[in-house]
Amino acid sequence: MLAGLMQNVPLTLNLIRERVADLYPNKTVTTRYPHAIHVIGYGEVLDRAGHIANFLQDIGITRGERVATLAWNSHRHLELYMAVPCMGAVLHTINARLLGPDIARLLDHADDRALFVDRSIWKTIGHEIDLPRRVRHVVVMEDEPDQMLDPPARAGTTQAHYEDMIRRHQAAFAWPVLSEDEAASLCYTSGTTGNPKGVLYSHRSTTLHTLACLFADGIAMRERDVCLPAVPMFHANAWGFPYAALMAGANLALPCRQTDPTSLVELIEAAHVTMATAVPTVWIGFLDHLRRDASALGRISSLKRLPVGGAAIGRSFIDDFTRYGIEVMHCWGMTEISPLGLTNVERSDLDDAQVRETRTAQGLPIPGCRLRIVDADGARCVTDGKMPGELQISSPWAAGAYFDRAAEEKGLHPEGSFVVDEGRVWLRTGDIATIDPHGYVRIVDRAKDLIKSGGEWISSQALELQLMNHPDVREAAVVARPDPKWQERPVICVALHEDTKELRERFQQDYGSALSEHFPKWQIPQEVVFLTELPKGKTGKIDKIALRTAMQPAQ
Ligand code: ADP
């Protein structure tokens, strides 16, 4: 082998940090806190990242150790996005919509050493989080004006206010030279049984994914954009948009927790947002708002592009936004692939009928992603746009294993999520798709037994397990029903020991409170379908496909 002679600059997030310092210190991040709009320059964000890095070093955080966040989309969270990975530690962003005990389990599984938490979140669920002993430091971030540190963290834990911590440490920090293979951040995604799976991004994967977001046939983010990621910063690094904005030099606008239409209109107007991203549920509500309030249209005139993903979208969704002068860019991705894999861009070699046909497809692989569909035996399916198969992906920013703390960085392959074939690792996505001769991928079904409601996963198996503990239940299954607002909502299909009116009423009355001990409110099904017997497949297992089909609206 003859080695190339080019500079071996590691692909780390320090490339973004340095670029921002060199070129974009005056670009801004605008955060819409519930009480005020706050604007700060990227130069100051980097300075404050230096203060945080000094703090983390002082409390003994070393390379590779995990630092957790429990926070909405704010400039402070962005500062941590820079500080933690660039000083060599690993940023573990935790889903703030989970219950306290689940959050404690994640802190434990990730072996987090410090937790940065928004005061509003801490106030609501802090008392439910039994902090693992190894979490030695809690820093509360002031997303609300009041100054109380309430509830106090576990005895033996040091507690600090974020702004105090910043004041007490200096900005100058000797950022280490990192290897591109070092872990940068950690994000858990839902497993089918409800046990989350850790995806450990490396500096290299995140840097490459960031560059991919800037491709013209990717998201095409540019310096002149103002980007509003309305997808939470605890979901796959807010789909990579904050890092992409920093790299491109685009301004950022962050909505904190508020993604209701009124708050978004206010932020889009205040920050002159040009592109915004969220799951379809957010934009369906936004469309309704635009229809009701014509004045809102004038206030969002800067908004031109909406990269939308997380669930499928229909033609009318795209047409409605097009009428308002906003281009919908349909994307597909998953936490395991950082998360961007497909974008729906129009190929120049399509005729008008093909353009119409492919508009609602999930799109073409972005450069750097290779996709294939395979049948039950693992053989490649034909790409005729008709034959469905399991979608598999290979990419430098796709996971090759899940994070397994016991094996530290070695990872297990739970649920057979990976296959080695054709000389490379393929991630099994759990999505069923067709690929047409032009390469457009269309998701047609989901093999994984999960329900996606408003962009968040609900484990049907975990709900079923609890329902089976109910004394009146003989058998139960939870399946998705399509929903105009949330895309999907879970429905309980249940057969009781005795199918009487009394038992049905009793079940209706008390299943909710039984489930609420184990699941957040948004995961609990509102609808129950009583059956005398659940349909079974050949092996005697409950036929969920039949149940799911029965839940589809009549054509
Ligand atoms: P994300 O943050 O992209 O929602 P998740 O890991 O939570 O990532 O979910 C990924 C899954 O969401 C995919 O495997 C697929 O089932 C579904 N999904 C994502 N984008 C789309 C889309 N555009 N159309 C249909 N399903 C989608």
Side-chain angles (χ1 to χ4, degrees):
M1 182 193 86
L2 177 64
L5 294 174
M6 308 311 283
Q7 296 179 14
N8 197 8
V9 178
L11 298 175
T12 71
L13 295 183
N14 279 314
L15 291 182
I16 299 181
R17 189 181 54 73
E18 288 159 0
R19 183 172 170 82
V20 170
D22 290 346
L23 291 174
Y24 306 125
N26 298 325
K27 300 306 292 273
T28 57
V29 49
T30 302
T31 308
R32 185 184 176 284
Y33 286 103
H35 56 283
I37 289 212
H38 174 278
V39 184
I40 182 173
Y42 282 171
E44 208 179 325
V45 166
L46 289 189
D47 274 356
R48 288 160 59 89
H51 291 260
I52 300 164
N54 276 308
F55 163 75
L56 292 173
Q57 195 175 55
D58 281 1
I59 62 171
I61 302 291
T62 57
R63 296 268 275 268
E65 285 191 325
R66 271 74 71 191
V67 172
T69 61
L70 201 43
W72 301 109
N73 297 13
S74 71
H75 76 282
R76 296 190 178 94
H77 210 169
L78 186 72
E79 288 158 10
L80 291 161
Y81 262 47
M82 280 281 90
V84 177
C86 288
M87 61 94 61
V90 180
L91 183 78
H92 170 204
T93 51
I94 301 181
N95 187 338
R97 296 202 174 103
L98 299 176
L99 291 182
D102 293 328
I103 291 171
R105 264 192 291 281
L106 288 179
L107 287 162
D108 182 51
H109 188 274
D111 197 17
D112 291 307
R113 297 305 159 88
L115 168 67
F116 287 76
V117 55
D118 276 349
R119 177 179 288 124
S120 60
I121 300 173
W122 189 244
K123 247 176 35 186
T124 337
I125 52 170
H127 61 283
E128 287 176 21
I129 304 174
D130 185 9
L131 280 182
R133 299 239 149 251
R134 311 250 302 171
V135 180
R136 307 281 309 155
H137 309 274
V138 176
V139 181
V140 178
M141 300 193 276
E142 296 85 345
D143 62 335
E144 288 184 338
D146 105 63
Q147 284 300 309
M148 300 267 292
L149 187 54
D150 179 36
R154 177 179 50 72
T157 309
T158 68
Q159 303 173 30
H161 287 281
Y162 190 89
E163 294 302 328
D164 276 355
M165 174 274 295
I166 296 262
R167 270 190 294 277
R168 293 206 178 118
H169 293 82
Q170 55 171 18
F173 183 75
W175 299 101
V177 177
L178 303 171
S179 140
E180 63 182 29
D181 294 322
E182 280 181 62
S185 49
L186 175 63
C187 195
Y188 283 80
T189 184
S190 191
T192 50
T193 54
N195 281 338
K197 302 182 286 190
V199 181
L200 191 59
Y201 304 118
S202 66
H203 277 267
R204 176 185 150 85
S205 67
T206 303
T207 305
L208 290 171
H209 179 267
T210 303
L211 292 170
C213 284
L214 311 189
F215 284 139
D217 279 344
I219 299 295
M221 199 188 300
R222 306 173 63 186
E223 183 272 340
R224 64 188 53 189
D225 276 312
V226 180
C227 174
L228 190 171
V231 57
M233 287 173 81
F234 51 71
H235 265 315
N237 291 331
W239 294 351
F241 282 74
Y243 285 132
L246 290 165
M247 182 72 112
N251 285 344
L252 271 169
L254 300 175
C256 230
R257 185 190 182 151
Q258 284 72 32
T259 56
D260 60 281
T262 311
S263 305
L264 288 179
V265 167
E266 192 181 306
L267 181 55
I268 291 167
E269 183 180 34
H272 309 291
V273 168
T274 62
M275 66 191 303
T277 192
V279 291
T281 298
V282 169
W283 301 122
I284 290 167
F286 193 79
L287 268 177
D288 285 344
H289 182 78
L290 295 184
R291 284 189 203 105
R292 276 198 310 271
D293 177 5
S295 72
L297 260 186
R299 299 176 62 194
I300 60 155
S301 59
S302 58
L303 183 64
K304 297 294 173 225
R305 286 182 300 150
L306 282 191
V308 179
I313 53 174
R315 194 159 288 155
S316 64
F317 179 97
I318 300 173
D319 290 344
D320 287 351
F321 274 110
T322 310
R323 262 196 294 282
Y324 293 132
I326 299 165
E327 181 197 354
V328 171
M329 305 163 76
H330 192 186
C331 307
W332 169 93
M334 55 193 296
T335 304
E336 284 88 334
I337 52 174
S338 302
L340 196 61
L342 298 167
T343 50
N344 192 322
V345 288
E346 201 176 299
R347 281 182 70 137
S348 59
D349 51 1
L350 299 185
D351 60 30
D352 288 352
Q354 288 167 327
V355 168
R356 261 197 313 282
E357 170 59 27
T358 52
R359 271 175 82 194
T360 52
Q362 277 69 17
L364 296 167
I366 54 172
C369 287
R370 187 135 188 251
L371 292 169
R372 65 176 196 174
I373 42 174
V374 299
D375 64 18
D377 298 323
R380 271 183 186 255
C381 299
V382 284
T383 53
D384 58 359
K386 295 190 185 83
M387 186 179 179
E390 188 199 27
L391 188 65
Q392 301 188 341
I393 184 161
S394 159
S395 167
W397 51 89
Y402 287 108
F403 177 61
D404 170 37
R405 207 184 96 201
E408 200 80 348
E409 282 118 45
K410 280 227 83 112
L412 284 177
H413 293 186
E415 304 172 26
S417 304
F418 305 91
V419 282
V420 179
D421 191 21
E422 302 172 0
R424 56 174 75 202
V425 176
W426 297 89
L427 168 78
R428 301 179 59 184
T429 64
D431 287 331
I432 307 296
T434 58
I435 302 182
D436 77 8
H438 285 99
Y440 284 89
V441 177
R442 185 182 291 279
I443 309 288
V444 293
D445 201 357
R446 191 185 296 147
K448 44 197 173 194
D449 193 7
L450 286 164
I451 296 162
K452 202 167 198 196
S453 182
E456 301 283 354
W457 289 114
I458 300 174
S459 163
S460 33
Q461 285 185 29
L463 282 166
E464 286 157 8
L465 214 66
Q466 288 306 325
L467 287 168
M468 290 311 292
N469 290 335
H470 191 287
D472 297 335
V473 169
R474 186 154 53 84
E475 46 185 8
V478 177
V479 292
R481 190 197 282 287
D483 183 275
K485 180 171 180 197
W486 303 104
Q487 258 79 53
E488 291 178 2
R489 284 299 300 157
V491 177
I492 298 174
C493 302
V494 65
L496 302 177
H497 287 301
E498 274 178 72
D499 191 26
T500 61
K501 189 160 167 271
E502 289 77 10
L503 282 198
R504 284 186 178 200
E505 280 172 5
R506 192 158 82 192
F507 181 80
Q508 281 281 17
Q509 265 161 28
D510 60 25
Y511 80 87
S513 55
L515 291 180
S516 65
E517 281 175 37
H518 306 278
F519 302 94
K521 203 164 150 221
W522 56 268
Q523 293 192 352
I524 297 177
Q526 283 97 4
E527 199 185 339
V528 182
V529 173
F530 290 101
L531 298 163
T532 45
E533 172 141 16
L534 268 54
K536 310 283 176 350
K538 285 197 200 79
T539 56
K541 271 176 45 176
I542 294 174
D543 185 351
K544 287 193 140 181
I545 297 176
L547 283 173
R548 219 156 23 113
T549 312
M551 296 300 138
Q552 300 297 312
Q555 292 296 315

